[in-house]
Amino acid sequence: MRNITLSADENLIEAARRRAASQNTTLNAQFRVWLADYVGREVQAAQAMRTVRELQGKLRVGRKLSRDEMNER
């Protein structure tokens, strides 16, 4: 694992350390989780876009959907 140096407000760092400690972890461990999530979101977005491109023109509903139908979840 490689070390890096970051700069942030001293009060913010201390508050983050206290929060991490209250969750039985460390600020370093929380940063690693955040970093993996940060990179993972980009990877997920790229995978989603690949899937959308693959499906373009392949799915048929059979009729034009209403605005409400398109926005249903």
Side-chain angles (χ1 to χ4, degrees):
M1 205 173 294
R2 188 171 180 183
N3 289 327
I4 62 171
T5 301
L6 302 170
S7 298
D9 178 74
E10 189 175 321
N11 295 325
L12 187 60
I13 292 170
E14 287 307 315
R17 282 190 175 137
R18 285 192 300 274
R19 181 173 177 194
S22 75
Q23 296 174 347
N24 297 317
T25 188
T26 65
L27 185 54
N28 195 45
Q30 288 300 94
F31 176 74
R32 286 194 301 268
V33 168
W34 173 83
L35 189 61
D37 182 56
Y38 181 73
V39 171
R41 281 182 270 153
E42 186 174 315
V43 170
Q44 285 178 329
Q47 289 172 339
M49 287 308 299
R50 277 194 299 276
T51 301
V52 167
R53 281 189 220 101
E54 288 173 10
L55 294 175
Q56 278 181 330
K58 295 181 181 178
L59 299 177
R60 299 280 184 243
V61 176
R63 63 182 173 81
K64 186 171 172 87
L65 297 175
S66 71
R67 182 179 203 172
D68 288 336
E69 289 173 319
M70 287 190 286
N71 289 313
E72 282 182 11
R73 295 186 189 237

